[in-house]
Amino acid sequence: MKLALLLLAATALQAQYALWVDISGEWRIQQGDRPEYAAPGFDDTRWDTIQLPHPTRIPTTTGFWLRKRFQLPADASKQALALTLGVPISGIYEVYWNGRRIAQAGTWGD
């Protein structure tokens, strides 16, 4: 499962002082994996939508992308940032911010 703009984990020390931003709600979802899905200007308006957190597991048989656009609070650049969906996320994923991979959990068996 590749996730764009999902969970940046703060360290235990930073979490105490982090700015927590809830990014739950409507996300765009698309099966498959294409490099252009990470581009900030990619047009995902024809993708299906899904509410996160989702009440059931999202199927991961072929892999998929999730995308969400959101504004950070004005003071976000002055402190550690932690993004949350309100529930723990497990599995393998990558986080992209404006087209650049900035975090990952696990490794892909490509």
Side-chain angles (χ1 to χ4, degrees):
M1 164 176 36
K2 288 189 177 184
L3 303 176
L5 301 179
L6 194 60
L7 301 181
L8 294 176
T11 64
L13 181 59
Q14 290 174 330
Q16 186 176 1
Y17 302 102
L19 172 64
W20 287 85
V21 178
D22 183 2
I23 56 174
S24 61
E26 186 175 273
W27 283 70
R28 301 281 181 174
I29 183 168
Q30 177 66 32
Q31 294 291 326
D33 186 14
R34 295 174 46 190
E36 58 267 26
Y37 291 171
F42 180 81
D43 181 8
D44 59 14
T45 57
R46 294 185 180 185
W47 288 14
D48 290 334
T49 59
I50 188 171
Q51 289 293 121
L52 293 179
H54 198 269
T56 59
R57 290 186 58 99
I58 301 170
T60 59
T61 55
T62 60
F64 61 91
W65 272 78
L66 292 167
R67 290 177 54 100
K68 182 175 182 89
R69 291 177 175 85
F70 60 94
Q71 290 293 114
L72 289 175
D75 59 346
S77 65
K78 298 178 181 153
Q79 54 191 309
L81 179 64
L83 303 178
T84 181
L85 287 172
V87 296
I89 301 295
S90 62
I92 300 170
Y93 60 86
E94 296 175 340
V95 178
Y96 287 82
W97 184 270
N98 289 334
R100 292 182 56 215
R101 188 176 68 191
I102 60 170
Q104 74 179 59
T107 57
W108 299 101
D110 297 335

